[in-house]
Amino acid sequence: YDEECVWEMIEKSRVAAYGDVKYVVEYLNPGDIVFFCHKWEGLIAAAEVLRGPVKRSGDDEQYRDVKFLTPVPTRNSGIKLRMTAAQVVATTGKTFFWARTIKVPYLNREEAQSLVAELKKLLSGRSLEK
């Protein structure tokens, strides 16, 4: 885990994987929705994968460009709003293995869009409607 990587992804509008698991970026397709999870914080943003090839940055990183669907935190301001793991479970009705780069179970398109809508409300400063 390297907190610098989270900020780099947000600042450069990309979803990336590093080191021995960098290949997981190849699992993502244009139009897929990805959620940015910050260790000890929870979900901090969501984005849609853009068209274009998987890219490399050096030998240790692979990434795809994204368009953010939610407000995003800034490094200077820090993470003030987030969706905790418990809130994700309450919203989706699913539990996830959080220690992996690619979280399972996968969400279908409707479930992902619903989670984006709730995350957008929360990150905009409105509480979850549950």
XYZ file of all heavy atoms in Angstrom, residues 20-72:
430
model
N 3.367 -6.469 -8.778
C 2.970 -7.821 -9.172
C 1.521 -7.931 -9.630
O 1.161 -8.927 -10.249
C 3.190 -8.798 -8.013
C 4.666 -8.977 -7.683
O 5.516 -8.631 -8.523
O 4.961 -9.464 -6.568
N 0.685 -6.936 -9.309
C -0.726 -6.998 -9.714
C -1.070 -5.972 -10.794
O -2.242 -5.746 -11.078
C -1.686 -6.846 -8.504
C -1.519 -7.998 -7.545
C -1.494 -5.515 -7.826
N -0.076 -5.389 -11.438
C -0.342 -4.362 -12.447
C -1.196 -4.890 -13.602
O -1.932 -4.136 -14.226
C 0.943 -3.735 -12.957
C 1.847 -4.678 -13.717
C 3.154 -4.017 -14.088
C 4.064 -5.037 -14.751
N 5.415 -4.556 -14.839
N -1.161 -6.188 -13.852
C -1.921 -6.803 -14.942
C -3.436 -6.677 -14.762
O -4.193 -6.779 -15.729
C -1.558 -8.289 -15.079
C -1.964 -9.101 -13.878
C -3.208 -9.700 -13.825
C -1.111 -9.235 -12.785
C -3.602 -10.431 -12.706
C -1.494 -9.948 -11.673
C -2.733 -10.553 -11.639
O -3.120 -11.269 -10.528
N -3.928 -6.432 -13.534
C -5.383 -6.393 -13.322
C -6.040 -5.242 -14.079
O -7.247 -5.293 -14.340
C -5.781 -6.366 -11.827
C -5.278 -7.605 -11.112
C -5.328 -5.112 -11.145
N -5.290 -4.233 -14.466
C -5.850 -3.142 -15.258
C -6.360 -3.674 -16.596
O -7.299 -3.132 -17.176
C -4.814 -2.011 -15.435
C -5.275 -0.962 -16.420
C -4.525 -1.373 -14.096
N -5.775 -4.757 -17.073
C -6.213 -5.365 -18.328
C -7.620 -5.954 -18.218
O -8.258 -6.216 -19.231
C -5.207 -6.424 -18.762
C -3.839 -5.829 -19.052
C -2.741 -6.866 -19.233
O -3.057 -8.064 -19.379
O -1.565 -6.474 -19.216
N -8.130 -6.159 -17.014
C -9.487 -6.668 -16.813
C -10.536 -5.595 -17.057
O -11.719 -5.894 -17.191
C -9.685 -7.172 -15.379
C -8.835 -8.340 -14.959
C -8.824 -8.736 -13.634
C -8.036 -9.051 -15.830
C -8.054 -9.803 -13.200
C -7.258 -10.112 -15.420
C -7.277 -10.491 -14.102
O -6.519 -11.543 -13.683
N -10.135 -4.334 -17.052
C -11.068 -3.218 -17.177
C -11.301 -2.875 -18.640
O -10.366 -2.853 -19.439
C -10.528 -1.997 -16.436
C -10.221 -2.201 -14.951
C -9.538 -0.970 -14.381
C -11.488 -2.543 -14.188
N -12.567 -2.581 -18.961
C -12.947 -2.238 -20.326
C -13.533 -0.839 -20.375
O -14.071 -0.350 -19.368
C -13.991 -3.239 -20.839
C -13.429 -4.628 -20.922
O -12.469 -4.869 -21.635
N -14.007 -5.559 -20.173
N -13.456 -0.191 -21.543
C -14.101 1.116 -21.678
C -15.571 1.024 -21.256
O -16.270 0.074 -21.594
C -13.966 1.427 -23.170
C -12.738 0.669 -23.585
C -12.781 -0.600 -22.777
N -15.999 2.016 -20.482
C -17.377 2.041 -19.999
C -17.556 1.414 -18.634
O -18.572 1.632 -17.982
N -16.584 0.625 -18.175
C -16.666 0.044 -16.833
C -16.620 1.157 -15.791
O -15.953 2.179 -15.984
C -15.503 -0.914 -16.558
C -15.646 -2.258 -17.237
O -16.714 -2.543 -17.813
O -14.665 -3.036 -17.196
N -17.325 0.947 -14.692
C -17.285 1.883 -13.576
C -16.305 1.333 -12.543
O -16.366 0.160 -12.190
C -18.685 2.069 -12.961
C -19.612 2.731 -13.970
C -18.595 2.904 -11.673
C -21.051 2.804 -13.545
N -15.398 2.194 -12.097
C -14.422 1.811 -11.079
C -14.595 2.709 -9.861
O -14.978 3.874 -9.987
C -12.964 1.881 -11.605
C -12.731 0.847 -12.694
C -12.625 3.269 -12.116
N -14.338 2.139 -8.706
C -14.460 2.874 -7.444
C -13.084 2.978 -6.820
O -12.332 2.004 -6.777
C -15.426 2.141 -6.505
C -16.821 2.126 -7.030
C -17.264 1.079 -7.835
C -17.701 3.162 -6.756
C -18.549 1.071 -8.351
C -18.989 3.155 -7.264
C -19.421 2.111 -8.066
N -12.759 4.164 -6.348
C -11.473 4.410 -5.714
C -11.642 4.239 -4.214
O -12.411 4.957 -3.582
C -10.971 5.817 -6.061
C -10.581 5.944 -7.502
C -11.546 6.082 -8.480
C -9.257 5.896 -7.882
C -11.202 6.175 -9.817
C -8.891 5.989 -9.213
C -9.869 6.132 -10.189
N -10.917 3.268 -3.682
C -11.010 2.924 -2.268
C -9.692 3.299 -1.598
O -8.621 2.890 -2.046
C -11.264 1.420 -2.142
S -11.499 0.858 -0.458
N -9.783 4.094 -0.553
C -8.602 4.521 0.186
C -8.543 3.715 1.478
O -9.516 3.687 2.235
C -8.703 6.014 0.493
C -7.460 6.594 1.068
N -7.033 6.317 2.343
C -6.553 7.447 0.535
C -5.912 6.972 2.579
N -5.601 7.660 1.503
N -7.413 3.087 1.717
C -7.244 2.261 2.914
C -7.574 3.059 4.171
O -7.137 4.197 4.320
C -5.804 1.760 2.973
C -5.564 0.728 4.049
C -4.142 0.194 3.947
C -3.907 -0.908 4.932
N -2.563 -1.474 4.787
N -8.359 2.488 5.029
C -8.816 3.049 6.304
C -9.871 4.139 6.138
O -10.366 4.659 7.114
C -7.669 3.567 7.182
C -6.580 2.575 7.369
C -5.273 2.717 6.999
C -6.680 1.280 7.955
N -4.558 1.597 7.312
C -5.404 0.678 7.907
C -7.718 0.535 8.505
C -5.135 -0.587 8.390
C -7.451 -0.740 8.981
C -6.171 -1.273 8.914
N -10.191 4.523 4.934
C -11.170 5.579 4.705
C -12.459 5.034 4.094
O -13.535 5.326 4.547
C -10.593 6.668 3.783
C -9.389 7.379 4.340
C -9.733 8.367 5.438
O -10.913 8.645 5.683
O -8.789 8.874 6.061
N -12.343 4.289 2.993
C -13.497 3.787 2.258
C -13.479 4.321 0.834
O -12.443 4.735 0.320
N -14.651 4.326 0.196
C -14.741 4.823 -1.175
C -14.636 6.340 -1.160
O -15.328 7.013 -0.404
C -16.062 4.411 -1.822
C -16.323 2.926 -1.998
C -17.610 2.713 -2.794
C -15.163 2.195 -2.640
N -13.776 6.860 -2.036
C -13.564 8.308 -2.078
C -13.916 8.905 -3.438
O -13.970 10.127 -3.568
C -12.125 8.689 -1.686
C -11.108 8.041 -2.617
C -11.858 8.305 -0.234
C -9.686 8.545 -2.445
N -14.177 8.059 -4.450
C -14.526 8.550 -5.778
C -14.960 7.380 -6.653
O -14.677 6.218 -6.349
C -13.343 9.273 -6.425
N -15.633 7.715 -7.755
C -15.996 6.727 -8.768
C -15.734 7.344 -10.136
O -15.827 8.567 -10.312
C -17.462 6.331 -8.643
N -15.400 6.494 -11.100
C -15.081 6.982 -12.437
C -15.483 5.944 -13.478
O -15.692 4.770 -13.161
C -13.586 7.275 -12.552
N -15.554 6.399 -14.720
C -15.815 5.514 -15.850
C -14.533 5.378 -16.657
O -13.847 6.375 -16.935
C -16.922 6.100 -16.734
C -17.273 5.216 -17.897
C -18.421 5.777 -18.714
O -19.149 6.660 -18.228
O -18.590 5.326 -19.860
N -14.205 4.147 -17.043
C -13.013 3.882 -17.845
C -13.251 4.398 -19.263
O -14.287 4.122 -19.873
C -12.686 2.368 -17.864
C -11.486 2.089 -18.759
C -12.439 1.862 -16.445
N -12.296 5.165 -19.777
C -12.402 5.743 -21.113
C -11.850 4.789 -22.173
O -11.096 3.858 -21.868
C -11.643 7.072 -21.172
C -12.168 8.163 -20.243
C -11.267 9.401 -20.317
C -13.611 8.528 -20.600
N -12.214 5.056 -23.405
C -11.671 4.282 -24.531
C -10.173 4.536 -24.634
O -9.690 5.589 -24.264
C -12.331 4.687 -25.836
C -13.784 4.310 -25.900
C -14.274 4.271 -27.333
N -15.666 3.914 -27.373
C -16.143 2.683 -27.252
N -15.302 1.688 -27.078
N -17.429 2.426 -27.296
N -9.482 3.569 -25.170
C -8.048 3.703 -25.345
C -7.348 2.487 -24.753
O -7.946 1.728 -23.999
N -6.102 2.333 -25.113
C -5.360 1.156 -24.664
C -4.942 1.232 -23.198
O -4.932 2.309 -22.604
C -4.112 1.183 -25.563
C -3.894 2.642 -25.818
C -5.283 3.232 -25.930
N -4.597 0.069 -22.660
C -3.938 0.030 -21.359
C -2.566 0.660 -21.572
O -1.882 0.379 -22.557
C -3.796 -1.430 -20.852
C -2.927 -1.483 -19.617
C -5.167 -2.034 -20.587
N -2.183 1.545 -20.660
C -0.908 2.253 -20.787
C 0.047 1.819 -19.683
O -0.376 1.274 -18.673
C -1.152 3.758 -20.723
C -2.064 4.254 -21.829
C -2.402 5.708 -21.658
C -3.380 6.164 -22.733
N -3.810 7.549 -22.512
N 1.314 2.090 -19.898
C 2.353 1.767 -18.911
C 3.074 3.034 -18.500
O 3.251 3.948 -19.296
C 3.379 0.804 -19.508
C 2.837 -0.559 -19.804
C 3.966 -1.434 -20.381
N 3.454 -2.740 -20.693
C 3.425 -3.757 -19.835
N 3.917 -3.601 -18.641
N 2.930 -4.928 -20.184
N 3.498 3.043 -17.247
C 4.362 4.099 -16.760
C 5.527 3.393 -16.078
O 5.371 2.857 -14.984
C 3.609 5.005 -15.780
O 4.468 6.003 -15.298
N 6.628 3.342 -16.755
C 7.769 2.591 -16.233
C 7.484 1.102 -16.253
O 6.563 0.635 -16.928
N 8.238 0.361 -15.489
C 8.072 -1.091 -15.437
C 7.074 -1.533 -14.383
O 6.675 -2.690 -14.359
C 9.423 -1.768 -15.132
C 10.409 -1.616 -16.268
O 9.970 -1.489 -17.431
O 11.622 -1.615 -15.989
N 6.669 -0.613 -13.517
C 5.915 -1.003 -12.326
C 4.440 -0.607 -12.331
O 3.729 -0.910 -11.397
C 6.599 -0.407 -11.094
C 6.265 -1.153 -9.822
O 6.220 -2.401 -9.870
O 6.043 -0.503 -8.799
N 3.955 0.076 -13.385
C 2.575 0.562 -13.373
C 1.898 0.356 -14.718
O 2.487 0.584 -15.764
C 2.551 2.061 -13.044
C 1.170 2.679 -13.096
C 1.167 4.193 -12.965
O 2.241 4.821 -13.072
O 0.090 4.750 -12.756
N 0.637 -0.090 -14.665
C -0.236 -0.106 -15.827
C -1.478 0.684 -15.448
O -1.918 0.644 -14.301
C -0.625 -1.531 -16.225
C 0.484 -2.258 -16.904
C 0.042 -3.588 -17.503
O 0.879 -4.419 -17.716
N -1.221 -3.801 -17.756
N -2.051 1.408 -16.425
C -3.218 2.222 -16.102
C -4.107 2.436 -17.313
O -3.713 2.185 -18.450
C -2.788 3.572 -15.519
C -2.081 4.494 -16.488
C -2.795 5.444 -17.219
C -0.704 4.422 -16.669
C -2.152 6.297 -18.102
C -0.063 5.270 -17.539
C -0.782 6.206 -18.260
O -0.147 7.040 -19.135
N -5.323 2.884 -17.020
C -6.275 3.324 -18.042
C -6.768 4.699 -17.612
O -6.888 4.985 -16.428
C -7.450 2.359 -18.157
C -7.035 0.983 -18.673
C -8.245 0.189 -19.019
N -8.797 0.736 -20.252
C -8.887 0.056 -21.399
N -8.492 -1.183 -21.454
N -9.402 0.614 -22.459
N -7.083 5.529 -18.589
C -7.628 6.850 -18.306
C -9.092 6.724 -17.897
O -9.798 5.821 -18.358
C -7.503 7.752 -19.532
C -6.048 8.043 -19.885
O -5.227 8.195 -18.959
O -5.731 8.112 -21.091
N -9.543 7.643 -17.031
C -10.925 7.627 -16.548
C -11.514 9.028 -16.557
O -10.795 10.022 -16.601
C -11.026 7.052 -15.106
C -10.545 5.617 -15.040
C -10.294 7.930 -14.094
N -12.851 9.066 -16.500
C -13.601 10.305 -16.309
C -14.333 10.144 -14.982
O -15.095 9.187 -14.793
C -14.602 10.507 -17.440
C -15.521 11.712 -17.244
C -16.524 11.840 -18.366
C -17.594 10.787 -18.162
N -18.711 10.848 -19.071
N -14.104 11.060 -14.058
C -14.729 10.949 -12.743
C -16.222 11.228 -12.826
O -16.667 12.135 -13.534
C -14.037 11.859 -11.725
C -12.736 11.288 -11.263
C -11.540 11.723 -11.809
C -12.709 10.282 -10.309
C -10.333 11.166 -11.402
C -11.506 9.720 -9.900
C -10.321 10.166 -10.446
N -16.987 10.423 -12.090
C -18.438 10.530 -12.030
C -18.905 11.177 -10.731
O -20.091 11.466 -10.575
C -19.066 9.131 -12.144
C -18.700 8.343 -13.399
C -19.212 6.912 -13.292
C -19.243 9.035 -14.647
N -17.990 11.360 -9.798
C -18.290 11.913 -8.481
C -17.310 13.041 -8.188
O -16.269 13.148 -8.845
C -18.126 10.852 -7.373
O -16.752 10.421 -7.362
C -19.050 9.656 -7.566
N -17.621 13.840 -7.187
C -16.599 14.787 -6.711
C -15.372 13.997 -6.254
O -15.496 12.841 -5.831
C -17.281 15.467 -5.519
C -18.745 15.277 -5.719
C -18.878 13.956 -6.433
N -14.205 14.612 -6.359
C -12.974 13.951 -5.924
C -12.255 14.811 -4.885
O -12.307 16.033 -4.952
C -12.014 13.657 -7.104
C -12.622 12.648 -8.060
C -11.641 14.919 -7.843
